[in-house]
Coordinates of all heavy atoms in Angstrom, one line a residue:
M1 N 76.9 126.5 96.1 CA 75.4 126.4 96.1 C 74.8 126.5 94.8 O 75.3 127.2 93.9 CB 74.8 127.5 97.1 CG 75.4 127.5 98.5 SD 74.9 126.0 99.4 CE 73.4 126.6 100.2
T2 N 73.7 125.8 94.6 CA 73.0 125.8 93.4 C 71.5 125.9 93.6 O 71.0 125.4 94.6 CB 73.2 124.4 92.6 OG1 74.5 124.2 92.3 CG2 72.3 124.3 91.3
V3 N 70.9 126.8 92.8 CA 69.4 127.0 93.1 C 68.6 125.9 92.3 O 68.9 125.6 91.2 CB 69.0 128.3 92.5 CG1 67.5 128.5 92.7 CG2 69.7 129.5 93.3
V4 N 67.8 125.2 93.1 CA 67.0 124.1 92.5 C 65.5 124.4 92.8 O 65.2 124.8 93.9 CB 67.4 122.8 93.2 CG1 66.4 121.7 92.7 CG2 68.8 122.5 93.0
T5 N 64.7 124.2 91.7 CA 63.3 124.4 91.9 C 62.6 123.0 91.7 O 62.8 122.4 90.6 CB 62.7 125.4 90.9 OG1 63.2 126.7 91.1 CG2 61.1 125.5 91.0
F6 N 61.9 122.6 92.7 CA 61.2 121.3 92.6 C 59.8 121.6 92.2 O 59.1 122.5 92.8 CB 61.2 120.6 94.0 CG 62.6 120.1 94.4 CD1 63.4 120.8 95.2 CD2 63.1 118.9 93.9 CE1 64.7 120.4 95.6 CE2 64.4 118.5 94.3 CZ 65.2 119.2 95.2
V7 N 59.2 120.8 91.3 CA 57.8 121.0 90.9 C 57.1 119.8 91.2 O 57.2 118.8 90.4 CB 57.8 121.4 89.4 CG1 56.3 121.6 89.0 CG2 58.6 122.7 89.1
P8 N 56.4 119.7 92.3 CA 55.6 118.5 92.6 C 54.4 118.4 91.8 O 53.9 119.4 91.4 CB 55.3 118.6 94.1 CG 55.4 120.1 94.4 CD 56.3 120.7 93.4
P9 N 53.9 117.1 91.6 CA 52.6 117.0 90.8 C 51.5 117.7 91.5 O 51.2 117.4 92.7 CB 52.4 115.5 90.7 CG 53.5 114.8 91.5 CD 54.4 115.9 92.1
G10 N 50.9 118.7 90.8 CA 49.7 119.3 91.4 C 50.0 120.3 92.5 O 49.1 120.8 93.2
G11 N 51.3 120.5 92.9 CA 51.6 121.4 94.0 C 52.4 122.6 93.6 O 52.7 122.7 92.4
A12 N 52.6 123.5 94.5 CA 53.4 124.6 94.3 C 54.9 124.4 94.2 O 55.3 123.5 95.0 CB 53.1 125.6 95.4
P13 N 55.5 125.0 93.3 CA 57.0 124.8 93.2 C 57.7 125.2 94.5 O 57.2 126.1 95.2 CB 57.4 125.7 92.1 CG 56.2 125.9 91.3 CD 55.0 125.9 92.3
I14 N 58.8 124.5 94.8 CA 59.6 124.8 96.0 C 61.1 125.2 95.5 O 61.7 124.3 94.8 CB 59.7 123.6 96.9 CG1 58.3 123.3 97.5 CG2 60.7 123.9 98.1 CD1 58.2 122.0 98.3
T15 N 61.5 126.3 95.7 CA 62.9 126.7 95.3 C 63.8 126.9 96.5 O 63.4 127.4 97.5 CB 62.8 128.0 94.5 OG1 61.9 127.8 93.3 CG2 64.2 128.5 94.1
A16 N 65.0 126.3 96.4 CA 65.9 126.4 97.4 C 67.3 126.5 96.9 O 67.6 126.1 95.8 CB 65.8 125.1 98.3
S17 N 68.2 127.1 97.6 CA 69.6 127.2 97.4 C 70.3 126.0 98.1 O 70.2 126.0 99.4 CB 70.2 128.5 97.7 OG 71.6 128.5 97.4
V18 N 70.8 125.1 97.4 CA 71.3 123.8 98.1 C 72.8 123.6 97.8 O 73.3 124.0 96.8 CB 70.4 122.6 97.7 CG1 68.9 122.8 98.0 CG2 70.6 122.3 96.2
P19 N 73.4 122.8 98.7 CA 74.8 122.6 98.4 C 75.1 121.8 97.2 O 74.5 120.7 97.0 CB 75.3 121.8 99.7 CG 74.2 122.0 100.7 CD 72.9 122.3 99.9
T20 N 76.1 122.2 96.4 CA 76.5 121.4 95.3 C 77.1 120.1 95.9 O 77.8 120.1 96.8 CB 77.6 122.2 94.5 OG1 77.2 123.4 94.1 CG2 78.2 121.4 93.4
G21 N 76.7 119.0 95.2 CA 77.2 117.7 95.6 C 76.2 116.9 96.5 O 76.4 115.8 96.8
A22 N 75.2 117.6 97.0 CA 74.2 116.9 97.8 C 73.4 115.9 97.0 O 73.2 116.2 95.8 CB 73.3 118.0 98.5
N23 N 73.0 114.9 97.6 CA 72.1 114.0 96.9 C 70.7 114.6 96.6 O 70.1 115.1 97.6 CB 71.9 112.7 97.8 CG 71.0 111.7 97.1 OD1 69.8 111.7 97.2 ND2 71.6 110.8 96.3
L24 N 70.3 114.5 95.4 CA 69.1 115.2 95.0 C 67.8 114.7 95.7 O 66.9 115.5 96.2 CB 68.9 115.2 93.5 CG 67.8 116.0 92.9 CD1 68.0 117.5 93.2 CD2 67.6 115.8 91.4
L25 N 67.7 113.4 95.9 CA 66.6 112.8 96.6 C 66.6 113.3 98.1 O 65.5 113.7 98.6 CB 66.7 111.3 96.5 CG 65.5 110.6 97.4 CD1 64.1 110.9 96.8 CD2 65.7 109.1 97.4
R26 N 67.7 113.3 98.7 CA 67.8 113.7 100.1 C 67.4 115.1 100.3 O 66.7 115.5 101.2 CB 69.2 113.5 100.7 CG 69.6 112.0 100.6 CD 69.5 111.3 101.9 NE 69.8 109.9 101.7 CZ 69.0 108.9 101.7 NH1 67.7 109.1 101.8 NH2 69.4 107.6 101.5
V27 N 67.8 116.0 99.3 CA 67.4 117.4 99.3 C 65.9 117.5 99.2 O 65.3 118.3 100.0 CB 68.2 118.2 98.3 CG1 67.6 119.6 98.1 CG2 69.7 118.2 98.5
A28 N 65.4 116.8 98.3 CA 63.9 116.9 98.1 C 63.2 116.4 99.3 O 62.2 117.1 99.7 CB 63.5 115.9 96.9
M29 N 63.6 115.4 99.9 CA 63.0 115.0 101.2 C 63.1 116.0 102.3 O 62.2 116.3 103.0 CB 63.6 113.6 101.6 CG 63.4 112.5 100.8 SD 61.7 112.0 100.5 CE 61.8 110.6 99.6
A30 N 64.3 116.6 102.4 CA 64.5 117.6 103.4 C 63.6 118.9 103.3 O 63.2 119.4 104.3 CB 66.0 118.1 103.4
Y31 N 63.2 119.2 102.0 CA 62.3 120.3 101.8 C 60.9 119.9 101.6 O 60.0 120.7 101.4 CB 62.8 121.0 100.5 CG 64.0 121.9 100.8 CD1 65.3 121.4 100.7 CD2 63.8 123.2 101.2 CE1 66.4 122.3 100.9 CE2 64.8 124.1 101.5 CZ 66.1 123.6 101.4 OH 67.2 124.4 101.6
G32 N 60.6 118.6 102.0 CA 59.2 118.1 102.0 C 58.5 118.2 100.6 O 57.3 118.3 100.6
V33 N 59.3 117.9 99.6 CA 58.7 117.9 98.2 C 57.8 116.6 98.1 O 58.4 115.5 98.4 CB 59.8 117.8 97.2 CG1 59.3 117.6 95.8 CG2 60.7 119.1 97.3
S34 N 56.6 116.8 97.7 CA 55.7 115.7 97.6 C 55.8 115.0 96.3 O 56.3 115.5 95.3 CB 54.2 116.2 97.8 OG 53.9 117.1 96.8
G35 N 55.3 113.8 96.2 CA 55.2 113.0 95.0 C 56.3 112.0 94.8 O 56.1 111.2 93.8
L36 N 57.3 112.0 95.5 CA 58.4 111.0 95.4 C 58.1 109.9 96.4 O 58.0 110.1 97.6 CB 59.7 111.6 95.7 CG 60.3 112.6 94.7 CD1 61.4 113.4 95.2 CD2 60.7 111.8 93.4
V37 N 58.0 108.6 95.9 CA 57.8 107.5 96.8 C 59.1 107.0 97.4 O 59.2 106.8 98.6 CB 57.1 106.3 96.0 CG1 56.9 105.2 96.9 CG2 55.7 106.8 95.5
A38 N 60.1 106.9 96.6 CA 61.4 106.5 97.0 C 61.4 105.2 97.9 O 62.0 105.2 99.0 CB 62.1 107.6 97.7
E39 N 60.7 104.2 97.4 CA 60.4 103.0 98.1 C 61.7 102.3 98.6 O 61.7 101.8 99.8 CB 59.6 102.0 97.2 CG 59.3 100.7 97.9 CD 58.1 100.7 98.9 OE1 57.5 101.8 98.9 OE2 57.9 99.8 99.6
C40 N 62.8 102.3 97.9 CA 63.9 101.6 98.2 C 64.9 102.5 99.1 O 66.0 102.0 99.4 CB 64.6 101.0 97.0 SG 65.5 102.2 96.0
G41 N 64.6 103.7 99.3 CA 65.4 104.6 100.1 C 66.6 105.0 99.5 O 67.6 105.5 100.1
G42 N 66.7 104.9 98.1 CA 67.9 105.5 97.4 C 68.8 104.4 96.9 O 70.0 104.8 96.6
D43 N 68.5 103.2 96.9 CA 69.3 102.1 96.5 C 69.3 101.7 95.0 O 69.8 100.7 94.7 CB 69.1 100.8 97.4 CG 69.5 101.0 98.8 OD1 70.4 101.9 99.0 OD2 69.1 100.3 99.7
A44 N 68.5 102.5 94.3 CA 68.4 102.3 92.8 C 67.9 100.9 92.5 O 68.3 100.2 91.6 CB 69.8 102.5 92.1
V45 N 66.8 100.5 93.2 CA 66.1 99.3 92.9 C 64.6 99.4 92.7 O 64.0 98.4 92.3 CB 66.4 98.1 93.9 CG1 67.8 97.8 93.9 CG2 65.9 98.5 95.3
C46 N 64.0 100.6 93.0 CA 62.6 100.7 92.9 C 62.1 101.6 91.7 O 61.1 101.3 91.2 CB 62.0 101.2 94.2 SG 62.3 102.9 94.5
G47 N 62.8 102.5 91.3 CA 62.4 103.5 90.2 C 61.3 104.4 90.7 O 60.7 105.0 89.8
T48 N 61.0 104.6 91.9 CA 60.0 105.5 92.4 C 60.5 106.9 92.9 O 59.8 107.5 93.7 CB 59.1 104.8 93.4 OG1 59.8 104.5 94.6 CG2 58.4 103.6 92.9
C49 N 61.5 107.3 92.3 CA 62.0 108.6 92.5 C 62.3 109.3 91.2 O 63.2 110.1 91.0 CB 63.3 108.6 93.4 SG 64.7 107.7 92.6
H50 N 61.4 109.1 90.2 CA 61.5 109.5 88.9 C 61.2 111.0 88.8 O 60.2 111.5 89.2 CB 60.5 108.7 88.0 CG 60.5 108.9 86.5 ND1 59.6 108.4 85.7 CD2 61.5 109.6 85.8 CE1 59.8 108.8 84.4 NE2 61.0 109.5 84.5
V51 N 62.2 111.7 88.2 CA 62.1 113.1 88.0 C 62.5 113.5 86.6 O 63.2 112.7 85.9 CB 62.9 113.9 89.0 CG1 62.4 113.7 90.4 CG2 64.4 113.5 88.8
F52 N 62.1 114.7 86.2 CA 62.5 115.2 84.9 C 63.3 116.5 85.2 O 62.9 117.4 85.9 CB 61.3 115.6 84.0 CG 60.3 114.5 83.9 CD1 59.1 114.6 84.5 CD2 60.6 113.4 83.1 CE1 58.1 113.5 84.3 CE2 59.7 112.3 83.0 CZ 58.5 112.4 83.6
I53 N 64.5 116.6 84.6 CA 65.5 117.6 84.9 C 65.6 118.6 83.8 O 65.8 118.2 82.6 CB 66.9 117.0 85.2 CG1 66.9 115.9 86.2 CG2 67.9 118.1 85.5 CD1 66.7 116.4 87.6
S54 N 65.5 119.9 84.0 CA 65.7 120.9 83.0 C 66.6 122.0 83.6 O 66.7 122.1 84.8 CB 64.4 121.4 82.4 OG 63.6 122.0 83.4
G55 N 67.0 122.8 82.7 CA 67.8 124.0 83.1 C 69.3 123.7 83.2 O 70.1 124.5 83.7
I56 N 69.7 122.5 82.7 CA 71.1 122.1 82.7 C 71.3 121.1 81.6 O 70.3 120.3 81.3 CB 71.5 121.6 84.1 CG1 73.0 121.4 84.2 CG2 70.8 120.3 84.4 CD1 73.6 121.1 85.6
E57 N 72.5 121.1 81.0 CA 72.7 120.1 80.0 C 72.9 118.7 80.6 O 73.5 118.6 81.7 CB 74.0 120.5 79.2 CG 74.0 121.8 78.5 CD 72.9 121.7 77.4 OE1 72.7 120.7 76.7 OE2 72.2 122.7 77.2
P58 N 72.3 117.7 80.0 CA 72.4 116.4 80.6 C 73.8 115.9 80.9 O 74.0 115.2 81.9 CB 71.8 115.4 79.5 CG 70.9 116.4 78.7 CD 71.6 117.7 78.8
Q59 N 74.8 116.3 80.1 CA 76.2 115.8 80.3 C 76.8 116.5 81.6 O 77.9 116.1 82.0 CB 77.0 116.0 79.1 CG 77.2 117.5 78.7 CD 76.2 117.9 77.7 OE1 75.1 117.3 77.5 NE2 76.5 118.9 76.9
Q60 N 76.2 117.5 82.1 CA 76.6 118.1 83.4 C 76.1 117.4 84.6 O 76.5 117.7 85.8 CB 76.2 119.6 83.4 CG 76.9 120.4 82.4 CD 76.3 121.9 82.4 OE1 75.4 122.3 81.8 NE2 77.0 122.7 83.3
L61 N 75.2 116.4 84.4 CA 74.7 115.6 85.5 C 75.6 114.4 85.7 O 76.4 114.0 84.8 CB 73.3 115.2 85.2 CG 72.2 116.3 85.1 CD1 70.9 115.7 84.6 CD2 72.1 117.1 86.4
D62 N 75.4 113.7 86.8 CA 76.1 112.5 87.0 C 75.8 111.5 85.9 O 74.7 111.5 85.4 CB 75.8 111.9 88.4 CG 76.2 112.7 89.5 OD1 77.2 113.4 89.5 OD2 75.5 112.7 90.5
A63 N 76.8 110.7 85.5 CA 76.6 109.6 84.5 C 75.5 108.6 84.9 O 75.3 108.4 86.1 CB 77.8 109.0 84.2
M64 N 74.7 108.2 84.0 CA 73.7 107.2 84.3 C 74.2 105.9 84.3 O 74.9 105.4 83.3 CB 72.6 107.4 83.2 CG 71.4 106.5 83.5 SD 70.0 106.6 82.3 CE 69.6 108.3 82.4
S65 N 73.9 105.1 85.3 CA 74.4 103.7 85.4 C 73.5 102.9 84.6 O 72.3 103.2 84.3 CB 74.4 103.2 86.9 OG 73.1 103.2 87.3
E66 N 73.9 101.6 84.4 CA 73.0 100.7 83.7 C 71.8 100.4 84.5 O 70.7 100.2 83.9 CB 73.9 99.4 83.5 CG 73.2 98.4 82.6 CD 74.0 97.2 82.2 OE1 75.3 97.4 82.1 OE2 73.5 96.1 82.1
A67 N 71.9 100.3 85.8 CA 70.7 100.0 86.7 C 69.7 101.1 86.6 O 68.5 100.9 86.5 CB 71.2 99.8 88.2
E68 N 70.2 102.4 86.6 CA 69.2 103.5 86.5 C 68.6 103.5 85.1 O 67.4 103.7 85.0 CB 70.0 104.8 86.7 CG 69.0 106.0 86.6 CD 69.7 107.3 86.8 OE1 70.9 107.4 87.0 OE2 69.0 108.4 86.7
D69 N 69.3 103.2 84.1 CA 68.8 103.1 82.8 C 67.6 102.1 82.7 O 66.6 102.3 82.1 CB 70.0 102.8 81.8 CG 69.6 103.1 80.3 OD1 68.8 104.0 80.1 OD2 70.2 102.5 79.5
E70 N 67.9 100.9 83.2 CA 66.9 99.9 83.2 C 65.6 100.3 84.0 O 64.5 100.0 83.6 CB 67.5 98.6 83.7 CG 68.5 98.0 82.7 CD 69.1 96.7 83.3 OE1 68.6 96.2 84.3 OE2 70.1 96.2 82.6
L71 N 65.9 100.9 85.1 CA 64.7 101.3 86.0 C 63.9 102.3 85.2 O 62.6 102.3 85.3 CB 65.1 101.7 87.3 CG 65.6 100.7 88.3 CD1 66.3 101.3 89.5 CD2 64.4 99.9 88.8
L72 N 64.5 103.3 84.6 CA 63.7 104.2 83.9 C 62.9 103.7 82.7 O 61.8 104.2 82.4 CB 64.7 105.4 83.4 CG 65.2 106.3 84.5 CD1 66.3 107.2 84.0 CD2 64.1 107.2 85.1
D73 N 63.4 102.7 82.2 CA 62.7 101.9 81.1 C 61.3 101.4 81.6 O 60.4 101.1 80.9 CB 63.5 100.8 80.4 CG 64.5 101.4 79.4 OD1 64.3 102.5 79.0 OD2 65.4 100.6 79.1
N74 N 61.3 101.1 82.9 CA 60.1 100.5 83.5 C 59.4 101.4 84.5 O 58.6 100.9 85.3 CB 60.6 99.1 84.2 CG 61.1 98.1 83.2 OD1 60.3 97.6 82.4 ND2 62.3 97.8 83.3
A75 N 59.7 102.7 84.5 CA 59.0 103.6 85.4 C 57.6 103.7 85.1 O 57.2 103.5 84.0 CB 59.7 105.0 85.2
A76 N 56.8 104.0 86.2 CA 55.3 104.1 86.0 C 55.0 105.2 85.0 O 54.1 105.0 84.2 CB 54.7 104.4 87.4
A77 N 55.6 106.4 85.1 CA 55.4 107.5 84.2 C 56.3 107.2 83.0 O 57.4 106.7 83.1 CB 55.7 108.8 84.8
P78 N 55.8 107.5 81.8 CA 56.6 107.4 80.6 C 58.0 108.0 80.7 O 58.0 109.2 81.1 CB 55.8 107.9 79.4 CG 54.3 107.9 80.0 CD 54.5 108.1 81.5
R79 N 59.0 107.3 80.3 CA 60.3 107.9 80.2 C 60.4 108.9 79.2 O 59.9 108.8 78.1 CB 61.4 106.8 80.0 CG 62.8 107.2 80.0 CD 63.7 106.0 79.8 NE 65.1 106.5 79.9 CZ 66.1 105.7 80.0 NH1 65.9 104.3 79.9 NH2 67.3 106.1 80.1
R80 N 61.2 110.0 79.5 CA 61.5 111.1 78.6 C 63.0 111.2 78.5 O 63.7 110.6 79.2 CB 60.9 112.4 79.0 CG 59.4 112.3 79.3 CD 58.7 113.6 79.7 NE 59.5 114.6 80.2 CZ 59.0 115.7 80.8 NH1 57.6 115.8 81.0 NH2 59.7 116.7 81.3
S81 N 63.4 112.1 77.5 CA 64.9 112.3 77.4 C 65.5 113.0 78.6 O 66.7 112.8 78.8 CB 65.1 113.1 76.1 OG 64.5 114.4 76.3
D82 N 64.6 113.7 79.4 CA 65.2 114.4 80.6 C 64.8 113.6 81.8 O 65.0 114.1 83.0 CB 64.6 115.8 80.7 CG 63.1 115.9 80.7 OD1 62.4 114.8 80.4 OD2 62.6 116.9 80.8
S83 N 64.5 112.3 81.7 CA 64.2 111.5 82.9 C 65.5 111.1 83.6 O 66.5 110.8 83.0 CB 63.5 110.2 82.5 OG 62.2 110.4 82.1
R84 N 65.4 111.1 84.9 CA 66.5 110.6 85.8 C 65.8 110.1 87.1 O 64.7 110.4 87.5 CB 67.5 111.7 86.2 CG 68.3 112.2 85.0 CD 69.2 111.2 84.4 NE 70.1 110.5 85.3 CZ 71.4 110.8 85.3 NH1 71.9 111.7 84.6 NH2 72.2 110.1 86.2
L85 N 66.6 109.4 87.9 CA 66.2 109.0 89.2 C 66.9 110.0 90.2 O 68.1 110.1 90.2 CB 66.6 107.6 89.5 CG 66.0 106.5 88.6 CD1 66.4 105.1 89.0 CD2 64.4 106.6 88.8
A86 N 66.1 110.6 91.0 CA 66.6 111.6 92.0 C 67.7 111.0 92.9 O 68.7 111.7 93.3 CB 65.5 112.2 92.8
C87 N 67.5 109.8 93.3 CA 68.4 109.1 94.2 C 69.9 108.9 93.6 O 70.8 108.7 94.4 CB 67.9 107.9 94.8 SG 67.9 106.4 93.7
Q88 N 69.9 109.0 92.3 CA 71.2 108.7 91.6 C 71.9 110.0 91.2 O 72.9 109.9 90.5 CB 71.0 107.8 90.4 CG 70.4 106.4 90.8 CD 71.3 105.8 91.8 OE1 72.4 105.3 91.4 NE2 70.8 105.5 93.0
L89 N 71.4 111.1 91.6 CA 72.0 112.4 91.2 C 72.5 113.2 92.4 O 71.9 113.3 93.4 CB 71.0 113.3 90.5 CG 70.5 112.7 89.1 CD1 69.4 113.6 88.5 CD2 71.7 112.7 88.1
T90 N 73.7 113.8 92.2 CA 74.1 114.8 93.1 C 73.8 116.2 92.5 O 73.7 116.3 91.2 CB 75.6 114.7 93.4 OG1 76.3 114.8 92.2 CG2 75.9 113.5 94.2
V91 N 73.6 117.2 93.3 CA 73.3 118.5 92.8 C 74.5 119.1 92.1 O 75.6 119.2 92.8 CB 72.9 119.4 93.9 CG1 72.7 120.9 93.4 CG2 71.5 118.9 94.6
P92 N 74.4 119.4 90.8 CA 75.6 119.9 90.1 C 75.8 121.4 90.3 O 74.9 122.1 90.7 CB 75.3 119.6 88.7 CG 73.8 119.7 88.6 CD 73.3 119.2 89.9
A93 N 77.0 121.9 90.1 CA 77.3 123.3 90.0 C 76.6 123.8 88.8 O 76.8 123.3 87.7 CB 78.8 123.6 90.0
A94 N 75.8 124.9 88.9 CA 75.1 125.4 87.8 C 74.9 126.9 88.0 O 74.6 127.4 89.1 CB 73.7 124.7 87.6
P95 N 75.0 127.7 86.9 CA 74.8 129.2 87.0 C 73.4 129.6 87.3 O 73.1 130.6 87.9 CB 75.4 129.7 85.7 CG 75.3 128.5 84.8 CD 75.4 127.3 85.6
G96 N 72.5 128.8 86.7 CA 71.1 129.2 86.8 C 70.3 128.1 87.5 O 70.8 127.1 87.9
P97 N 69.0 128.4 87.7 CA 68.2 127.4 88.5 C 68.1 126.1 87.7 O 68.0 126.0 86.5 CB 66.9 128.1 88.6 CG 67.0 129.4 88.2 CD 68.3 129.5 87.4
I98 N 68.1 125.0 88.4 CA 67.8 123.7 87.9 C 66.4 123.4 88.3 O 66.0 123.6 89.4 CB 68.8 122.6 88.5 CG1 70.2 122.8 88.0 CG2 68.3 121.2 88.0 CD1 71.2 122.0 88.7
V99 N 65.6 122.9 87.3 CA 64.2 122.6 87.5 C 64.0 121.1 87.6 O 64.4 120.3 86.7 CB 63.2 123.2 86.5 CG1 61.8 122.8 86.8 CG2 63.4 124.7 86.4
V100 N 63.5 120.6 88.7 CA 63.3 119.2 88.9 C 61.8 118.9 89.0 O 61.1 119.2 90.1 CB 64.0 118.7 90.2 CG1 63.8 117.2 90.5 CG2 65.5 119.0 90.1
T101 N 61.2 118.4 88.0 CA 59.7 118.1 88.0 C 59.5 116.7 88.4 O 60.2 115.8 87.8 CB 59.2 118.4 86.6 OG1 59.4 119.7 86.2 CG2 57.7 118.1 86.6
I102 N 58.7 116.5 89.4 CA 58.5 115.1 89.8 C 57.4 114.4 88.9 O 56.4 115.0 88.7 CB 57.8 115.2 91.3 CG1 58.7 116.1 92.2 CG2 57.8 113.8 91.9 CD1 60.1 115.9 92.3
A103 N 57.7 113.3 88.5 CA 56.8 112.5 87.6 C 55.5 112.3 88.4 O 55.6 111.9 89.6 CB 57.4 111.2 87.2
A104 N 54.4 112.5 87.7 CA 53.1 112.5 88.5 C 52.8 111.1 88.9 O 52.1 110.9 89.9 CB 52.0 113.0 87.5
E105 N 53.3 110.1 88.2 CA 53.0 108.7 88.6 C 54.3 108.0 88.9 O 55.3 108.0 88.2 CB 52.4 108.0 87.4 CG 51.8 106.6 87.7 CD 51.2 105.9 86.4 OE1 51.2 106.6 85.4 OE2 50.8 104.8 86.6
Q106 N 54.4 107.5 90.1 CA 55.6 106.9 90.6 C 55.5 105.4 90.8 O 56.5 104.7 91.0 CB 56.1 107.5 92.0 CG 56.4 108.9 91.8 CD 57.8 109.1 91.2 OE1 58.7 108.3 91.3 NE2 58.0 110.3 90.6
W107 N 54.3 104.9 90.8 CA 54.1 103.5 91.3 C 53.2 102.8 90.3 O 52.1 103.3 90.0 CB 53.5 103.4 92.7 CG 53.5 102.0 93.3 CD1 52.4 101.3 93.3 CD2 54.6 101.4 93.9 NE1 52.8 100.0 93.9 CE2 54.1 100.2 94.3 CE3 55.9 101.8 94.1 CZ2 54.9 99.2 94.9 CZ3 56.7 100.8 94.7 CH2 56.2 99.5 95.1
R108 N 53.6 101.6 89.8 CA 52.7 100.9 88.9 C 52.3 99.6 89.7 O 53.2 98.8 90.1 CB 53.6 100.5 87.7 CG 52.8 99.6 86.7 CD 53.6 99.3 85.5 NE 54.0 100.4 84.7 CZ 55.1 100.5 84.0 NH1 55.9 99.5 84.0 NH2 55.4 101.6 83.4
S109 N 51.1 99.4 89.8 CA 50.6 98.2 90.5 C 50.9 97.0 89.6 O 50.8 97.0 88.4 CB 49.1 98.3 90.7 OG 48.6 97.1 91.2
L110 N 51.4 95.9 90.3 CA 51.7 94.7 89.6 C 50.5 93.7 89.6 O 50.6 92.6 89.1 CB 52.9 94.0 90.3 CG 54.2 94.9 90.2 CD1 55.3 94.2 91.0 CD2 54.6 95.1 88.8
R111 N 49.4 94.2 90.2 CA 48.3 93.3 90.3 C 47.4 93.2 89.0 O 47.4 94.2 88.3 CB 47.3 93.7 91.4 CG 48.0 93.4 92.8 CD 47.0 93.8 93.8 NE 47.8 94.0 95.0 CZ 47.4 94.5 96.1 NH1 46.2 95.0 96.2 NH2 48.2 94.7 97.2
Ligands
FES201 FE1 64.5 103.7 94.7 FE2 65.6 105.9 93.7 S1 64.6 105.7 95.6 S2 65.4 104.0 92.8

C-alpha cells in the first residue's frame, strides 16, 4: 500500500492508502477526485488526465512512453518537469505520501 494525496483544483485534498500497482487514474476516479476529464478513458490519446507528481523521484515512476511525452507537450495546462498522465501510471511503492495535483486546465478548445 502507498499513501497518495490527490489535490483537485480548488477542492479539498483527498488522501488514501491505495494498492501498489493500481492504475493512478482508476484510483482517482474511485475516490471521486474532481478535475480529471479523462476523455479517452485511459487509452493515452486525449491528454486530459494531466497531473503533477511530487513526493517521489521521477525515476521511481513508470517510464514515460513517446505517446505520453507528445500528449504532455500539447496539454491544456503548461507542462512542467513533474507532469504526467494519470492513466499511464501505476501507484509505486513509496515510503512517504505521493502528492498528485490535478492540473487546473484539462481541456483546450479547438474552436
Ligand atoms: Fe486520455 Fe489519460 S485519459 S490520455
Side-chain angles (χ1 to χ4, degrees):
M1 302 294 271
T2 297
V3 175
V4 178
T5 297
F6 293 98
V7 183
I14 297 171
T15 298
S17 183
V18 302
T20 301
N23 178 274
L24 190 61
L25 176 63
R26 303 262 176 254
V27 170
M29 297 295 189
Y31 280 90
V33 176
S34 63
L36 290 166
V37 177
E39 179 76 11
C40 74
D43 289 338
V45 294
C46 72
T48 61
C49 61
H50 186 189
V51 296
F52 308 110
I53 308 283
S54 61
I56 190 167
E57 294 298 321
Q59 62 268 24
Q60 293 178 269
L61 298 171
D62 295 327
M64 185 181 296
S65 69
E66 190 174 324
E68 181 181 1
D69 196 28
E70 288 178 9
L71 283 168
L72 286 170
D73 280 343
N74 296 295
R79 181 177 185 170
R80 305 185 337 197
S81 60
D82 56 353
S83 286
R84 294 298 304 259
L85 296 179
C87 73
Q88 298 303 295
L89 291 177
T90 55
V91 175
I98 296 171
V99 179
V100 179
T101 302
I102 315 305
E105 189 181 357
Q106 293 285 334
W107 189 262
R108 179 183 296 150
S109 174
L110 299 177
R111 293 183 199 163

